[in-house]
């Protein structure tokens, strides 16, 4: 059967994508950010997932205000990079896994999660920046990707609890897929940031660090955080962190924290990143990289 | 028209893009979305007022766009990810827009971010400090 072996969370700041695309990753400002993902890329290269499920949000690229699906699962064979106003990012076309994706859709809908199915969808920096951070800049992405777009642009996004429960349903769906596949799930966006209005620039590192701690050890403490608390404490756009709870819901209750990184700022945003592994890993698979290689 | 009251109205300096603003700002956001296309950017730059005639904006929304009043755009139903397409059409970065919205220069804004960003202390609530969370009491003033 297919199994979810690990979860990865990462911020998705567009300026990180621009820094990659414009070759600025060695500049001191950006090196501080990118150096935090070196161990993660090693971990990913050793883990070699067969499929990645990437929970992310679209930023007025694939979805305008014409249609605002709360959860949209990408079931297409491929997802081209969107033109976000500066031409599409020079990253490979994202190849999907339509069979597993449609299996997940069928399973979670019957589990009462009323997903939208996206059979044609472009993907923006919300998806491709975390992929760059974990996979580097390959000519082709090393594994197929199932995008799960979550509305966090129009209030209200789905609740943290709903996200966590969807994660559980996705796990159940993956585990009922007959083929032997190693799956890694990404939760993306966040951490604290506000990019709109007179309060723009807000950062709350204490909130972020507590969130990372609880995500790792005690996610139940996070799932009832009301939206007002995210917006007040972590900024209007910090509410993206509910997406991390889909990732967490898809993992075991107890996980191994393999790696963590946190830095302020990347452009307007606090960058947070964590790798969590399920304990039940198949024997002989990738060894763990040292814990807490990054700044905490 | 008066908006219905919400708990998040108490967050200072913040216009939450909720379902009501999404409805009021539909054409405003669709105008911004149209700027994703090069031909539309060109037409807009050639004659902004004429281009805006294509969209049934309210007079206030129209003025806010023409005068690049970003906070007003947000208040009248614009969303930041859409409004940033207007900024990009003017050749401005996201950080430039953020600085404008905060009434700061881009240089000062960038310095504030490098120093750790805008502090949460004093920025939680319009109604005062009663909503401070316990774990943030020792937070030092920054920015």
């Amino acid at each position: 059967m297919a199994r979810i072996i690990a979860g990865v969370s990462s911020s998705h700041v567009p300026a990180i994508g621009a820094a990659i695309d414009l070759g600025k990753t060695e500049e001191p400002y950006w090196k501080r950010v990118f150096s935090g993902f070196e161990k993660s890329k090693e971990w990913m290269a050793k883990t070699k997932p067969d499929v990645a499920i990437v929970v992310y949000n679209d930023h007025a690229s694939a979805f305008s205000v014409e249609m605002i699906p709360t959860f949209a699962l990408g079931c297409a064979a491929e997802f081209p990079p969107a033109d976000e106003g500066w031409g599409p990012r020079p990253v490979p076309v994202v190849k999907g896994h339509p069979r597993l994706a449609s299996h997940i859709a069928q399973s979670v809908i019957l589990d009462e999660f009323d997903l939208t199915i996206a059979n044609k969808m472009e993907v923006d920096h919300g998806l491709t920046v975390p992929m760059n951070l974990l996979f580097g800049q390959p000519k082709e992405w090393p594994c197929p990707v199932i995008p799960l777009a979550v509305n966090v642009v129009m209030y209200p996004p789905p609740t943290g609890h709903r996200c966590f429960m969807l994660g559980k349903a996705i796990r159940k769906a993956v585990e009922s897929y007959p083929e032997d596949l190693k799956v890694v799930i990404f939760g993306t966006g966040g951490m604290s940031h506000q990019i709109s209005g007179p309060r723009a620039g807000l950062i709350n590192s204490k909130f972020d660090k507590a969130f990372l701690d609880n995500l790792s050890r005690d996610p139940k403490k996070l799932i009832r955080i009301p939206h007002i608390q995210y917006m007040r404490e972590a900024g209007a756009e910090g509410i993206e962190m509910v997406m991390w709870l889909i990732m967490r819901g898809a993992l075991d209750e107890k996980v191994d924290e393999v790696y963590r990184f946190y830095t302020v700022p990347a452009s307007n945003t606090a960058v947070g990143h964590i790798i969590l592994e399920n304990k039940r890993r198949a024997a002989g698979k990738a060894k763990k990289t040292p814990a807490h290689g990054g700044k905490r | 028209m008066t908006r219905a009251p919400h708990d998040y109205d108490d967050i200072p300096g913040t216009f939450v893009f909720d379902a009501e603003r999404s409805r009021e700002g539909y054409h405003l956001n669709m105008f911004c979305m149209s700027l994703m296309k090069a031909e539309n950017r060109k037409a807009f730059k050639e004659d902004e007022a004429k281009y805006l005639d294509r969209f049934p904006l309210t007079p206030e929304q129209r003025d806010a766009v023409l005068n690049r009043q970003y906070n007003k755009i947000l208040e009248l139903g614009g969303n930041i990810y859409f409004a940033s397409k207007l900024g990009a059409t003017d050749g401005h970065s996201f950080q430039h827009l953020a600085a404008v919205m905060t009434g700061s220069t881009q240089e000062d804004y960038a310095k504030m971010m490098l120093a750790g960003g805008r502090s949460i202390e004093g920025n939680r609530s319009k109604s005062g400090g009663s909503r401070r969370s316990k774990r943030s009491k020792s937070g030092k003033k920054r920015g």
Side-chain angles (χ1 to χ4, degrees), chain A:
Chain A
M1 72 175 192
R3 288 171 308 127
I4 293 179
I5 58 168
V8 174
S9 281
S10 165
S11 305
H12 63 212
V13 192
I16 294 179
I20 294 171
D21 301 342
L22 301 172
K24 292 183 180 173
T25 57
E26 290 298 315
E27 291 179 7
Y29 181 96
W30 289 110
K31 205 171 167 110
R32 170 177 51 82
V33 174
F34 288 102
S35 63
F37 290 86
E38 286 305 318
K39 286 205 165 57
S40 320
K41 282 191 280 187
E42 286 170 24
W43 175 88
M44 190 58 93
K46 282 185 197 159
T47 302
K48 289 192 182 61
D50 298 309
V51 183
I53 298 170
V54 181
V55 180
Y56 78 107
N57 74 284
D58 179 78
H59 303 78
S61 306
F63 301 108
S64 68
V65 274
E66 285 180 336
M67 269 186 276
I68 308 176
T70 295
F71 297 113
L73 190 73
C75 295
E78 55 179 47
F79 306 93
D83 183 344
E84 299 178 51
W86 300 269
R89 288 197 62 214
V91 294
V93 168
V94 175
K95 298 279 164 57
H97 196 303
R99 288 190 65 182
L100 177 57
S102 48
H103 171 84
I104 292 172
Q106 184 153 326
S107 176
V108 304
I109 289 169
L110 292 175
D111 260 339
E112 304 185 338
F113 289 88
D114 312 316
L115 291 186
T116 298
I117 308 297
N119 285 321
K120 183 171 192 260
M121 183 167 73
E122 294 185 341
V123 289
D124 70 8
H125 73 271
L127 183 120
T128 57
V129 163
M131 285 180 61
N132 280 134
L133 291 171
L134 273 294
F135 294 117
Q137 295 164 264
K139 285 210 172 72
E140 296 292 333
W141 299 114
C143 67
V145 169
I146 300 176
L148 174 61
V150 181
N151 165 48
V152 291
V153 170
M154 192 195 82
Y155 183 92
T159 64
H161 178 254
R162 187 72 174 156
C163 287
F164 191 78
M165 297 310 286
L166 176 59
K168 282 183 181 293
I170 289 171
R171 177 192 183 142
K172 185 178 154 197
V174 167
E175 290 181 353
S176 65
Y177 189 73
E179 196 183 335
D180 240 348
L181 294 174
K182 279 190 296 183
V183 180
V184 168
I185 182 165
F186 285 52
T188 64
M191 293 190 87
S192 60
H193 66 303
Q194 178 154 334
I195 56 169
S196 60
R199 200 175 71 140
L202 188 94
I203 298 285
N204 188 343
S205 298
K206 285 202 163 103
F207 181 93
D208 292 341
K209 286 179 180 177
F211 192 90
L212 287 166
D213 286 344
N214 285 324
L215 192 76
S216 182
R217 288 179 226 135
D218 200 359
K220 291 224 158 64
K221 279 193 181 154
L222 302 176
I223 62 181
R224 294 294 180 187
I225 294 177
H227 284 345
I228 177 79
Q229 197 177 333
Y230 283 107
M231 294 193 293
R232 192 191 292 285
E233 295 291 327
E237 283 75 35
I239 202 164
E240 289 170 359
M241 277 186 266
V242 295
M243 294 190 289
W244 293 32
L245 297 176
I246 298 179
M247 176 281 277
R248 189 62 185 88
L251 301 181
D252 291 345
E253 203 174 317
K254 298 276 180 207
V255 291
D256 290 325
E257 182 177 328
V258 175
Y259 183 69
R260 182 194 293 205
F261 174 67
Y262 184 80
T263 188
V264 175
S267 188
N268 304 293
T269 305
V271 172
H273 166 48
I274 198 164
I275 302 178
L276 304 172
E277 278 183 1
N278 277 341
K279 289 176 184 290
R280 298 178 300 165
R281 297 201 62 190
K285 298 292 176 191
K287 281 181 188 160
K288 279 184 278 172
T289 50
H292 307 311
K295 193 170 122 187
R296 295 199 56 169

Side-chain angles (χ1 to χ4, degrees), chain A residues 12 14 29 32 57-66 68 82-86 125 152-156 193-207 210-211 214 225 228-229 231-234 236-237 240 264-265 267-269, chain B residues 7-19 22 25-26 29-30 33 35-36 41 71 74 79-82 84-85 88 92 94-95 98 101-102 109 112-114 116-120 123-126 131-133 135-136 138-140 142:
Chain A
H12 63 212
Y29 181 96
R32 170 177 51 82
N57 74 284
D58 179 78
H59 303 78
S61 306
F63 301 108
S64 68
V65 274
E66 285 180 336
I68 308 176
D83 183 344
E84 299 178 51
W86 300 269
H125 73 271
V152 291
V153 170
M154 192 195 82
Y155 183 92
H193 66 303
Q194 178 154 334
I195 56 169
S196 60
R199 200 175 71 140
L202 188 94
I203 298 285
N204 188 343
S205 298
K206 285 202 163 103
F207 181 93
F211 192 90
N214 285 324
I225 294 177
I228 177 79
Q229 197 177 333
M231 294 193 293
R232 192 191 292 285
E233 295 291 327
E237 283 75 35
E240 289 170 359
V264 175
S267 188
N268 304 293
T269 305
Chain B
D7 56 358
Y8 45 79
D9 296 339
D10 176 58
I11 305 174
T14 303
F15 304 101
V16 174
F17 183 66
D18 56 14
S22 176
Y26 179 77
N29 289 314
M30 291 309 284
M33 198 73 191
L35 299 176
M36 296 274 276
R41 289 196 289 271
N71 285 324
L74 300 181
N79 171 270
I80 187 61
Y81 298 114
F82 292 80
S84 69
K85 298 179 196 302
H92 295 314
F94 221 110
Q95 200 164 54
M101 288 183 289
T102 60
Y109 180 86
M112 175 185 81
M113 292 315 299
L114 269 175
R118 183 182 308 283
S119 172
I120 183 70
N123 284 310
R124 284 193 169 86
S125 167
K126 286 179 186 169
R131 291 167 192 267
R132 284 164 71 99
S133 75
R135 64 169 176 263
S136 299
S138 60
K140 62 174 193 258
R142 287 180 308 204

Side-chain angles (χ1 to χ4, degrees), chain B residues 49-134:
Chain B
K50 189 176 159 203
Y51 185 82
L52 286 177
D53 288 343
R54 298 185 194 179
F55 301 87
L57 304 183
T58 67
E60 277 177 300
Q61 288 172 333
R62 195 181 159 91
D63 284 351
V65 170
L66 290 171
N67 297 315
R68 304 296 193 271
Q69 293 167 302
Y70 282 95
N71 285 324
K72 199 77 190 165
I73 289 173
L74 300 181
E75 190 182 344
L76 299 175
N79 171 270
I80 187 61
Y81 298 114
F82 292 80
S84 69
K85 298 179 196 302
L86 175 60
T89 301
D90 291 336
H92 295 314
S93 69
F94 221 110
Q95 200 164 54
H96 174 93
L97 297 189
V100 168
M101 288 183 289
T102 60
S104 173
T105 65
Q106 192 172 351
E107 194 187 354
D108 286 348
Y109 180 86
K111 271 187 203 157
M112 175 185 81
M113 292 315 299
L114 269 175
R118 183 182 308 283
S119 172
I120 183 70
E121 298 308 324
N123 284 310
R124 284 193 169 86
S125 167
K126 286 179 186 169
S127 55
S130 60
R131 291 167 192 267
R132 284 164 71 99
S133 75
K134 277 182 216 156

